[in-house]
Amino acid sequence: MTAATSVTTKICKHCETPHTFEMSEFCCSGCETAWHVIRGRGLEEYYRFRDMKKAAPVGLSQTSFSYLASEDYRSRHVHEAEDKLQCEWYLSGLHCPACVWLVEKVTDAHEGVSNSELTFSDGRLVLFFEEATDLKLLAENLADLGYVAGLQPERAGSTNKELLKLGIAGAIAANIMLMSMPFYSGLSQGWYAWLFGWVSFALTLPLLFYCGRDFFTRARMGLIHKAVDLDLPIALGLASAFALSTFNLISGDLHHIYFDSMGMLVFFLLVGRYIQRSGINRALAEGRRLLAKMPQLVEVSRNGKWTPLPAEEVVPGDLLQLRSGDILPVDGILNSEEAVLNLHVVSGESKPITLEKGKAILSGSVNMGAQIEITATAPFNDTQFARLEQIARQLSERKQDPRGNRLALTFMAGISTFALLGVALWWSTSPLQAFSVALTIFIVACPCALALASPTAQAFALRETSRLGIWVKSADIFRRLLDIRQVIFDKTGILTSGQPTIVAKQIFVENQHWLEAAILELESGTRHPIVEAFRKDLHPRLKTGPASGSKVLPGSGLSGNIEGRHLIVSSPKGLALFGVELKTQEAIETACETLPTGSTLICAVLDGQPAAVFALQDKIRPEAATLTARLTQQGYELTVLSGDHQSTVDQVGGQLGITQRRGNMLPEAKLQYLRDLRPEETLMAGDGLNDMGALAASGVAVTHDEASHAAIKFADVIFQGRDMGRLAVLPHLACAVRGAVRYSIALSLAYNAVAVSLALTGLIGPLIAAVLMPVSSLSMIAMTAWTFRRRRLLWES
Amino acid sequence: MGILIFLAPLALLLSGFGVVSYIWACKNRQFDDLDAPPTKILFEDEIRKNNHEC
């Protein structure tokens, strides 16, 4: 369709990610599958309505859904609902409402499913289906589109109750205001005044004891834990207002009733907190969805029979069977003759390794070769990584310790001084008046704007992050980011793609397309990371006939006959084993010298003559170079820590301009490395099981949504769609939050200065308090919005 | 002014009605998903139109 001669950047047809593959319209085979599925089902409408900014490459799902077909799943997770069966899944990978439509179309069209409901905000998919429905197939279909189903995640704290309180507070505040109007227009005595006063009082009761209850509980908890934050002055202000107003109501002084200000205060504070909470909840929901993976079933030999069992039930001594592509759930010893394993998540090593019988294998290793058998040596919860996870959990709990707020303490001390001053000034006039002035100070100085400053700024920042596809688990990270001096990268999976890619090739035959097609044909049916790389990177324009007489030499390569010609694909060292002439071997050796150093080399020999040489490398991710350059420019010290060989780490780090490079790091060594630094000054980016400890120990931990379970669990920030390039915008957002909070505090202090001095002179009344409250809060929100707007270019580019 | 004795409770009653419906809506999870339903309506229409053309 398009000219394929020059290397041009093209846009992926499915996710619109730019790519440079000559022969493909897609950036990856995941996107290609998704596009064909959508087209095949006549659902192209999806492309018209989805939100392009958030789309991400599909990638290939590694999840196995065989658990959905098991008895265990049926008995534990499927319920009867009227005459149908019902189950719940949690989907990850939803990025816009159009995805919801697409998923519902696919599920509704699935045989046996009568109805489905998907909630966008938490990814909950409720399915109603007939007895004989193939749920496994449905989950696989959804995974082809990039939506990976998981089971019940840990329950999220619902914002529903907060929404309820917020709405009721709003209604009450408006009604109290209505009831206070007569007082502002001069009514001060008589039957009506009495009526309006007591109705306001009655309305305030649910406001204080239902809607505003959390302020009091949190203030008390703060006092108990000696970690005072802004809830204390709020609770004190509310209590003073309620006491003083009730006292004045009883004694008949209807000019000094503050019920309407209280209503507004509670309402505004609840709005601020709700916005902040819902932003974080979205991020947490995404994190939880990524963690809600399928329980892994593993084939265990029991009483001489192979049975699929959940990984938790494996005991030491069990014989396990691992098919190609399976992940080992427990530590074990290899029972088969040979195994090709990918240790990427275990040690960070990028090249697959080959082990012989009797060698120990750690949990988390992925079987890349043929089916193997393994004897378990430890139960599921006592693997090396389960122990590391224990340490990591302790570290990350410490990170979330509630801290007192210095600002709140200063503020409390300040207004208490002024209240005492008020008492001293007015004591000679009348002790009652003095008391009233003191309480008024607590009321008008109520830190509404102060308490809203951080939540508002964080809510604005969270809106930006979720727009950019960055999930933030705690708003606290915007503060922690300011302490960061050093950025530490894991190599494999973060700076590099984690899979070998063809970086250079030399072809010696005339018909390049026939040769590439023949190589793919010969390799079809085998599974090895290098074969995957060929499949991904070679896009011949034709197909050859089937291969015959194939022969595989494990660890070297394979040979076979295609259309009457004899083809060998092997590592240069393996050629001798296939009986290739010495002259051809030498020719290949010479050709290989021109290829980049540090690569894995693969050559093809056709009818005894050299045909091609390929160099494969774990390629540096496209955004990594810009990212490291930007971070250096921003003044961060960069380090790369990896379990891979020092030479590979040096090569990758050198290309990216990272001067501090440490290779051969075991998981514990990574953790220790961070502990030896000042952990709160470090940002750790990692995605493997082996990074777990380091992530938990760091000040800010970041990962991407295809990372290992453990990394997602301990990360503070998750990048959607694997692209870490946006890491450089986080410091800008943190600075914007700091700036906005500073402006707001200055603004709030200015208001308080005016209000408190008015209160000291006894001039302030409920009307001024009722006006100052919303004016200060609204101007603060406007100020924050302006701060973010002004700095927007910093993270837009 | 006498009318107030009737109007004030009426105002409270009306807002009470509003609050009760709000509580109902919250409890029925009406606010759970504010993003997908508006877009879904668009989709259904498009598909139907296409079918007519066929």
Side-chain angles (χ1 to χ4, degrees):
Chain A
M1 217 195 275
T2 42
T5 40
S6 63
V7 177
T8 43
T9 309
K10 293 200 289 188
I11 302 286
C12 175
K13 262 178 142 174
H14 178 69
C15 70
E16 301 192 3
T17 306
H19 66 90
T20 52
F21 303 135
E22 277 178 28
M23 292 304 296
S24 178
E25 302 287 338
F26 302 94
C27 68
C28 60
S29 45
C31 281
E32 187 166 357
T33 316
W35 190 81
H36 284 300
V37 171
I38 292 173
R39 278 280 301 245
R41 290 167 179 259
L43 300 172
E44 297 98 322
E45 283 301 308
Y46 169 71
Y47 292 107
R48 283 186 52 199
F49 286 103
R50 60 156 176 194
D51 183 353
M52 246 0 284
K53 274 184 231 133
K54 289 183 184 164
V58 171
L60 281 178
S61 168
Q62 305 287 335
T63 317
S64 154
F65 295 104
S66 42
Y67 182 64
L68 292 177
S70 70
E71 272 310 307
D72 196 52
Y73 177 73
R74 274 286 155 118
S75 58
R76 273 195 221 191
H77 297 279
V78 177
H79 311 285
E80 278 181 35
E82 288 164 24
D83 56 334
K84 296 270 185 308
L85 294 173
Q86 184 198 340
C87 70
E88 258 185 32
W89 294 350
Y90 285 80
L91 298 186
S92 60
L94 299 169
H95 34 70
C96 67
C99 295
V100 174
W101 175 82
L102 187 62
V103 169
E104 285 186 353
K105 278 276 168 246
V106 172
T107 49
D108 287 347
H110 192 77
E111 206 185 322
V113 176
S114 59
N115 192 16
S116 63
E117 283 163 28
L118 175 61
T119 317
F120 177 63
S121 55
D122 60 358
R124 191 171 55 122
L125 174 68
V126 183
L127 290 170
F128 298 91
F129 54 94
E130 311 278 344
E131 184 61 50
T133 310
D134 190 348
L135 292 175
K136 179 174 168 248
L137 181 68
L138 177 59
E140 282 164 0
N141 286 344
L142 290 176
D144 281 344
L145 295 171
Y147 310 115
V148 182
L151 300 182
Q152 188 82 9
E154 301 157 45
R155 273 262 165 233
S158 162
T159 48
N160 216 18
K161 200 151 197 180
E162 285 173 32
L163 194 66
L164 195 65
K165 286 184 177 175
L166 160 72
I168 293 174
I172 292 178
N175 278 292
I176 300 181
M177 218 180 291
L178 189 72
M179 295 294 150
S180 307
M181 283 303 177
F183 301 122
Y184 295 144
S185 48
L187 185 75
S188 65
Q189 52 197 336
W191 201 80
Y192 290 123
W194 183 86
L195 176 76
F196 288 125
W198 282 102
V199 170
S200 306
F201 172 79
L203 286 171
T204 312
L205 291 178
L207 178 87
L208 212 56
F209 296 110
Y210 176 65
C211 307
R213 203 171 137 193
D214 289 348
F215 296 114
F216 293 101
T217 19
R218 277 194 299 253
R220 214 188 68 217
M221 294 309 283
L223 282 177
I224 291 172
H225 293 120
K226 297 207 172 88
V228 173
D229 63 13
L230 287 163
D231 286 313
L232 184 64
I234 293 170
L236 208 60
L238 285 174
S240 312
F242 186 67
L244 186 64
S245 307
T246 313
F247 178 78
N248 286 339
L249 184 65
I250 294 169
S251 63
D253 176 12
L254 297 175
H255 274 308
H256 290 96
I257 290 181
Y258 293 91
F259 292 133
D260 57 335
S261 295
M262 288 169 69
M264 246 183 309
L265 174 68
V266 172
F267 178 60
F268 277 129
L269 288 171
L270 289 179
V271 169
R273 291 200 182 184
Y274 176 75
I275 294 176
Q276 185 203 23
R277 271 290 295 278
S278 53
I280 292 171
N281 271 4
R282 262 192 175 201
L284 286 179
E286 183 63 24
R288 263 191 299 268
R289 257 183 280 163
L290 292 169
L291 290 178
K293 298 209 168 132
M294 287 287 151
Q296 206 199 334
L297 289 184
V298 57
E299 294 278 336
V300 183
S301 169
R302 289 271 165 92
N303 312 323
K305 228 172 69 186
W306 290 107
T307 21
L309 284 179
E312 295 88 44
E313 290 177 23
V314 172
V315 289
D318 272 346
L319 190 61
L320 314 178
Q321 202 174 53
L322 227 57
R323 277 182 298 253
S324 175
D326 284 352
I327 304 169
L328 181 64
V330 296
D331 296 344
I333 287 173
L334 184 62
N335 236 3
S336 308
E337 287 308 317
E338 193 188 58
V340 183
L341 298 164
N342 186 342
L343 301 184
H344 164 198
V345 290
V346 183
S347 66
E349 198 165 352
S350 55
K351 284 183 193 170
I353 60 155
T354 310
L355 290 180
E356 313 102 62
K357 187 170 182 164
K359 286 271 160 69
I361 307 180
L362 286 179
S363 63
S365 310
V366 184
N367 178 21
M368 304 303 299
Q371 181 167 309
I372 51 172
E373 282 177 16
I374 286 158
T375 313
T377 51
F380 184 67
N381 53 14
D382 192 35
T383 59
Q384 192 203 355
F385 284 108
R387 286 193 296 274
L388 187 62
E389 190 170 342
Q390 281 292 326
I391 303 171
R393 194 171 297 146
Q394 284 163 12
L395 283 169
S396 83
E397 269 165 19
R398 198 172 316 148
K399 222 196 268 190
Q400 279 146 17
D401 255 358
R403 263 202 232 174
N405 189 325
R406 206 156 39 97
L407 186 69
L409 269 180
T410 326
F411 187 81
M412 278 303 293
I415 54 170
S416 307
T417 319
F418 278 110
L420 284 176
L421 187 66
V423 172
L425 279 175
W426 288 83
W427 190 259
S428 51
T429 323
S430 104
L432 191 67
Q433 183 71 18
F435 201 55
S436 156
V437 165
L439 285 183
T440 315
I441 287 174
F442 278 118
I443 300 167
V444 294
C446 203
C448 189
L450 213 55
L452 281 176
S454 296
T456 314
Q458 287 163 358
F460 270 91
L462 287 171
R463 203 181 64 171
E464 293 301 317
T465 51
S466 77
R467 208 172 50 81
L468 294 165
I470 306 169
W471 304 107
V472 175
K473 279 201 205 159
S474 142
D476 193 38
I477 69 130
F478 295 115
R479 187 181 55 74
R480 297 208 300 256
L481 273 166
L482 295 169
D483 297 333
I484 302 299
R485 302 274 166 277
Q486 192 163 16
V487 179
I488 300 167
F489 291 103
D490 168 42
K491 181 185 73 74
T492 322
I494 297 285
L495 295 175
T496 65
S497 60
Q499 274 130 22
T501 310
I502 299 179
V503 288
K505 59 182 174 187
Q506 276 190 30
I507 313 275
F508 309 117
V509 291
E510 263 174 34
N511 198 341
Q512 180 187 344
H513 287 293
W514 185 88
L515 179 72
E516 289 182 358
I519 292 174
L520 289 185
E521 187 56 44
L522 186 67
E523 286 175 341
S524 65
T526 38
R527 209 190 144 103
H528 191 277
I530 289 174
V531 174
E532 294 294 325
F534 275 94
R535 235 169 256 162
K536 201 165 64 169
D537 298 333
L538 295 185
H539 302 280
R541 271 186 268 186
L542 48 90
K543 263 186 114 61
T544 61
S548 60
S550 295
K551 192 173 104 184
V552 182
L553 291 182
S556 313
L558 65 177
S559 67
N561 295 317
I562 290 171
E563 294 180 0
R565 307 186 73 175
H566 185 65
L567 180 67
I568 304 169
V569 180
S570 156
S571 65
K573 279 183 199 135
L575 286 177
L577 299 173
F578 284 102
V580 173
E581 280 176 39
L582 207 60
K583 203 178 80 193
T584 315
Q585 284 188 44
E586 277 165 3
I588 295 268
E589 294 278 333
T590 332
C592 286
E593 276 163 23
T594 60
L595 294 172
T597 51
S599 332
T600 307
L601 300 171
I602 296 293
C603 56
V605 174
L606 190 63
D607 293 336
Q609 294 302 313
V613 283
F614 299 93
L616 288 94
Q617 266 178 19
D618 183 14
K619 213 160 79 180
I620 292 175
R621 293 189 52 80
E623 76 279 358
T626 345
L627 173 64
T628 48
R630 272 197 182 183
L631 289 174
T632 314
Q633 200 188 355
Q634 286 171 6
Y636 293 106
E637 231 179 278
L638 305 185
T639 307
V640 53
L641 289 191
S642 178
D644 216 341
H645 304 291
Q646 185 67 43
S647 60
T648 325
V649 179
D650 279 340
Q651 194 207 352
V652 170
Q655 278 186 50
L656 293 170
I658 301 175
T659 45
Q660 298 186 58
R661 307 184 284 252
R662 301 285 291 268
N664 304 318
M665 298 284 272
L666 294 171
E668 287 78 10
K670 283 193 177 189
L671 172 59
Q672 198 52 46
Y673 184 87
L674 262 98
R675 281 183 157 171
D676 292 344
L677 299 166
R678 272 191 225 153
E680 68 279 3
E681 291 185 0
T682 54
L683 183 149
M684 172 81 203
D687 69 341
L689 271 173
N690 57 333
D691 300 316
M692 179 160 61
L695 285 170
S698 66
V700 175
V702 302
T703 192
H704 56 74
D705 60 0
E706 283 169 38
S708 67
H709 206 272
I712 291 174
K713 203 168 192 173
F714 294 109
D716 302 300
V717 182
I718 306 164
F719 286 84
Q720 192 185 30
R722 234 189 153 166
D723 174 5
M724 302 292 286
R726 290 159 289 172
L727 183 59
V729 309
L730 285 181
H732 289 309
L733 282 170
C735 283
V737 168
R738 181 178 57 181
V741 168
R742 279 184 181 167
Y743 287 138
S744 305
I745 289 172
L747 198 68
S748 159
L749 289 181
Y751 278 116
N752 275 312
V754 173
V756 170
S757 35
L758 283 178
L760 270 179
T761 53
L763 281 174
I764 205 162
L767 185 57
I768 298 174
V771 171
L772 272 184
M773 195 85 72
V775 166
S776 68
S777 307
L778 291 177
S779 55
M780 186 223 55
I781 291 170
M783 181 92 96
T784 309
W786 174 74
T787 314
F788 272 83
R789 204 187 173 81
R790 203 168 46 106
R791 299 191 184 205
R792 196 163 199 168
L793 279 179
L794 288 176
W795 53 82
E796 282 297 283
S797 53
Chain B
M1 284 289 267
I3 193 77
L4 278 180
I5 200 74
F6 175 69
L7 285 181
L10 186 69
L12 285 178
L13 203 71
L14 281 176
S15 61
F17 177 71
V19 168
V20 169
S21 357
Y22 178 75
I23 293 174
W24 174 87
C26 271
K27 295 247 152 112
N28 271 280
R29 311 178 67 100
Q30 295 288 323
F31 300 109
D32 270 18
D33 194 350
L34 301 176
D35 309 277
T39 325
K40 262 195 245 171
I41 292 175
L42 284 177
F43 274 116
E44 292 300 328
D45 279 341
E46 287 297 328
I47 290 289
R48 220 171 288 142
K49 212 172 24 183
N50 284 355
N51 287 350
H52 277 300
E53 281 164 11
C54 286

